[in-house]
Amino acid sequence: MELPKFILGDNTDQPNAIYVIHTEFPRFIINLEDDDVEWFEEFDDHDQREIEAEAENLIQAATDFYDREISRYDE
């Protein structure tokens, strides 16, 4: 099965939280309510530096995905 790069998620136990799941390396989930990020990967020192440099772009891409998806509901 080929997964999409981003998936939206929610949970009724946390009604204000909106999650975006990034399914490609480096996999992570971000709660857009508070921008809390949980990485599903373990990083070595080399990866850690690379991830820190790319994290802002990945988080912006997740936010852009959410904005795009929500705008499609309004159409």
Side-chain angles (χ1 to χ4, degrees), residues 25-66:
F25 184 85
R27 296 172 302 149
F28 66 89
I29 184 169
I30 181 171
N31 180 347
L32 295 178
E33 177 188 23
D34 58 12
D35 292 334
D36 188 26
V37 177
E38 182 70 30
W39 299 96
F40 294 128
E41 316 290 353
E42 292 188 25
F43 304 111
D44 61 22
D45 289 339
H46 177 264
D47 288 339
Q48 186 67 32
R49 287 189 295 274
E50 185 176 324
I51 295 306
E52 287 172 1
E54 185 62 21
E56 185 175 337
N57 294 333
L58 290 170
I59 291 167
Q60 184 61 54
T63 302
D64 292 345
F65 165 77
Y66 171 77

Side-chain angles (χ1 to χ4, degrees), residues 7-21 29-31 66 73:
I7 300 172
L8 285 178
D10 65 1
N11 187 303
T12 57
D13 292 333
Q14 299 172 335
N16 295 325
I18 300 168
Y19 299 102
V20 176
I21 301 100
I29 184 169
I30 181 171
N31 180 347
Y66 171 77
Y73 285 109

